[in-house]
Amino acid sequence: MRTITTTDDLAEFCRQAAAGPYVTIDTEFLRERTYWSKLCLVQMALPGDGEAVLVDPIVGGEEMSLQPLFDLMGETGTVKVFHAARQDLEIFHHEGGVLPEPLFDTQVAAMVCGFGEQVGYETLVRKIAKGAVDKTSRFTDWSRRPLTDAQKAYALADVTHLRVVYEHLAAELDRSGRRGWVEEELDVLTDPATYVIEPEQAWRRVKTRTNSGRFLATVRELARFRETYAQERNVPRNRVFKDDALLELASTKPASLADLGRSRLLLREARKGPIAEGILQAVADGLAAPREDWPEVDDRRDRLQVNPALADLLRVLLKAKAEQAEVAQKLIASAADLDAIAAGERDAAALRGWRHEVFGADALRLCAGEIALTAQGTEVRVVPV
């Protein structure tokens, strides 16, 4: 197994990859102690029995540039194949400002091909490649060097078996005519906005139990400060303060260091220094925000008048349609989607694109009383009314 530690060697391998129809890619990283993932290793494999390599940016150090890899991401003639790509793509977007084009995610493809919801890589390797993945190195510290032979073998297995998995799923999608379904799902992963967290919008990630405008304004300012502080210093946001402490601060509205000292949930490090100063300023800014600047919560879903009987019928229809199409139910529609449709909403994702073809069209007909559901043995059938 070859480990690449120089820019020239990486550039040569990427030139070979760019000449082929696809390349399989995976990464190993750490994120427990940082805001941004620390890239520790990149694995890549060429089609068929082609070479598989490890790219080691840690051993390569500052003299090694990953630019050839970032350039490969933009080679439109070569499909970049990942499994569960989101975290890998976040790294490429942050490190190199690039996202792969075109992209193929075997986890998404597997759901479309009937392998269940969020199917794991080991399952696909076992069912498709008839192989096995040694899990003993799964929780290793990938930042430590030297890597053992077992670690290297584990890392390479993430891209060598992936070749067989990809070719099988790609052929199945072409056979079924569902490649467009996967491409539609990948639009989110290839959208740069997916990987950008704006501090001004960070408050939307915090679950609150009240829609009070002034309270939410304080939550917004605290979340904005926390996100900015975490990004600038590259520390996990929960190391600044956790959500439960944020909500406590928004409720108690501390105005001094003495007030912060009485917090039950605030970490000791956050009761002094720049974090404490930032908290007090954020609370003050939240309390001073004018009414017209208070955040607005979209509570339409909470106010929906759901018809429970219709929602139950939609669940039966979804199960039947998912089994018929051999597609994971959750990929077609969520429970929230079904409730929204049963309440009269018509902008649910389940009513658009390929989902409309598989489920949405009949869901609307069911809501309109144009069809009914009958059971024959274990099979649920749709019949016109």
Side-chain angles (χ1 to χ4, degrees), residues 197-313:
I197 301 177
E198 298 291 350
E200 292 76 12
Q201 300 300 319
W203 68 276
R204 298 184 184 278
R205 301 165 61 98
V206 182
K207 296 181 179 179
T208 65
R209 295 182 178 180
T210 175
N211 291 338
S212 164
R214 192 174 298 282
F215 178 83
L216 290 178
T218 307
V219 168
R220 178 188 62 195
E221 297 306 318
L222 286 166
R224 187 208 308 261
F225 162 71
R226 180 177 67 172
E227 206 72 24
T228 301
Y229 185 96
Q231 289 182 2
E232 291 178 348
R233 291 163 177 78
N234 196 23
V235 297
R237 65 175 64 87
N238 283 345
R239 292 282 184 90
V240 185
F241 47 84
K242 296 182 179 181
D243 282 1
D244 56 358
L246 187 154
L247 294 174
E248 179 192 46
L249 293 168
S251 178
T252 58
K253 307 175 183 62
S256 66
L257 292 178
D259 291 340
L260 287 182
R262 288 189 284 272
S263 170
R264 297 181 301 109
L265 302 174
L266 200 60
L267 297 174
R268 182 180 304 173
E269 294 78 8
R271 303 184 187 198
K272 57 185 178 180
I275 297 180
E277 295 172 5
I279 289 173
L280 295 176
Q281 185 62 55
V283 171
D285 290 344
L287 294 176
R291 181 180 294 272
E292 60 269 20
D293 192 38
W294 288 354
E296 293 184 4
V297 176
D298 185 358
D299 61 351
R300 287 177 299 171
R301 286 282 176 98
D302 296 334
R303 292 185 279 106
L304 290 177
Q305 298 297 313
V306 179
N307 181 331
L310 181 55
D312 287 342
L313 285 175

Side-chain angles (χ1 to χ4, degrees), residues 49 53 115 125 170 178 222 230 234 245 247 252 255-256 295 317 342 350 364 368:
D49 295 324
V53 300
F115 283 88
V125 170
R178 295 180 179 179
L222 286 166
N234 196 23
L247 294 174
T252 58
S256 66
L317 177 65
L364 292 176

